[in-house]
Amino acid sequence: FEIQYRGLKKILNRVFVKCVDLLSAETQIITDRLNVDNILDKKVEFIPNGFFQEKNTEIFNKRNLFITVGRIGDKNKNNILFLNALKRIDLKDWKVEFIGPIETEFKTTIKQFYEDNSELKEKVYFTGNISDRVTLEKKYADARVFVLTSNSEGFPLVFLEAISNGCYLVSTELIAAKEISNNQEYGSLFRFDDTTGLAKVLEEIIDNKIIMPPPEKITKFANDKYYWPKIVEKIINRLN
């Protein structure tokens, strides 16, 4: 049955593909793989996801602030890894904000974290959910660094929100992270579930051993590659 199903699925895929004017993938790595192996019997175009802002900030007044945004405590987000890394380093004059709705069961973990590390109460904050986009954009604009510890992701829109506001990326070795950081020109990657690796990156940022590019340069990269009007223009050109 499995063999028959795979054969039927392949036939349906080919029929479907013939009816499509434009096939795309969100990362260059996946696009290249699909084209080299000719998996879909049709050329696949690289069309990334994008962002749109009415007004881009051109001059930033960044603070020594790490932020992460998402469902705090969600198993896949692996926020516990971030907390464990923070235990190992001296934040000095840096602060950390976890932004997003907090899973109920994770509140016990947060309570224990503060009990074990009382000196971090004035440095590590759990902001909760921010539904107002302007307020959230301000958080990104203030932060120097955006941190993502996820075990898996597709194409996280939080990356685009971060780099469009000039944030340096620190992330697990996700395919999207490699591309959105421009092969670590605008970010640093560490292995999955690697507390020591994350702590090392954070420490090197704090101690200025990692020289981060100016936020204006990061924003320019974001605008050049991931700004929706430019992406839509590319789609129109491909269809004409």
Side-chain angles (χ1 to χ4, degrees):
F1 174 78
E2 178 64 24
I3 294 175
Q4 291 177 339
Y5 171 74
R6 287 204 303 267
L8 177 61
K9 186 177 179 182
K10 188 173 182 180
I11 292 171
L12 289 175
N13 278 342
R14 289 186 174 179
V15 171
F16 172 73
V17 165
K18 288 180 180 179
C19 299
V20 174
D21 293 319
L22 176 65
L23 288 173
S24 70
E26 291 179 325
T27 66
Q28 190 67 61
I29 292 173
I30 298 299
T31 303
D32 292 344
R33 175 65 185 275
L34 290 170
N35 286 330
V36 168
D37 294 346
N38 196 28
I39 292 173
L40 298 174
D41 290 332
K42 191 169 186 176
K43 184 180 179 183
V44 177
E45 298 287 349
F46 168 53
I47 306 289
N49 219 321
F51 73 95
F52 180 78
Q53 292 175 330
E54 289 289 346
K55 183 180 179 181
N56 284 111
T57 303
E58 295 182 356
I59 300 175
F60 293 93
N61 185 23
K62 293 284 188 181
R63 298 191 289 122
N64 287 344
L65 174 66
F66 298 104
I67 66 168
T68 189
V69 178
R71 299 184 310 278
I72 307 303
D74 180 90
K75 186 175 180 181
N76 183 58
K77 300 300 181 185
N78 204 12
N79 299 120
I80 188 67
L81 180 72
F82 198 178
L83 290 180
N84 288 336
L86 292 173
K87 295 177 186 179
R88 301 186 181 192
I89 65 174
D90 180 2
L91 281 169
K92 297 182 180 177
D93 64 340
W94 283 70
K95 300 291 177 63
V96 180
E97 285 193 39
F98 289 76
I99 301 170
I102 302 171
E103 299 288 329
T104 302
E105 60 271 19
F106 197 67
K107 292 179 181 178
T108 303
T109 302
I110 295 171
K111 182 180 179 183
Q112 190 63 52
F113 173 78
Y114 283 137
E115 287 178 0
D116 296 341
N117 306 274
S118 57
E119 73 281 2
L120 293 178
K121 285 184 178 180
E122 301 302 318
K123 293 191 174 186
V124 179
Y125 302 93
F126 289 83
T127 309
N129 190 43
I130 299 178
S131 57
D132 180 66
R133 294 300 305 176
V134 174
T135 304
L136 184 58
E137 288 285 339
K138 180 69 166 55
K139 289 290 185 182
Y140 281 113
D142 285 346
R144 289 194 191 282
V145 180
F146 178 84
V147 180
L148 192 72
T149 52
S150 295
N151 291 318
S152 65
E153 293 278 356
F155 192 99
L157 293 180
V158 287
F159 278 160
L160 301 184
E161 292 171 349
I163 65 170
S164 65
N165 283 285
C167 295
Y168 186 80
L169 300 181
V170 171
S171 172
T172 45
E173 293 178 329
L174 302 165
I175 291 176
K178 294 175 183 178
E179 294 198 4
I180 299 174
S181 69
N182 203 30
N183 292 317
Q184 301 193 67
E185 181 179 358
Y186 304 115
S188 295
L189 308 185
F190 60 94
R191 291 175 300 177
F192 295 100
D193 282 319
D194 185 2
T195 305
T196 301
L198 173 56
K200 182 174 183 291
V201 170
L202 299 178
E203 206 161 42
E204 288 180 349
I205 288 173
I206 293 168
D207 294 338
N208 293 316
K209 292 180 180 178
I210 291 177
I211 307 301
M212 295 182 290
E216 294 78 13
K217 186 176 180 182
I218 299 174
T219 301
K220 183 180 185 306
F221 169 74
N223 287 332
D224 289 345
K225 191 168 183 179
Y226 297 107
Y227 189 49
W228 262 126
K230 293 183 179 180
I231 295 172
V232 170
E233 183 179 351
K234 180 180 178 181
I235 294 172
I236 292 172
N237 291 336
R238 291 291 191 276
L239 290 173
N240 289 337

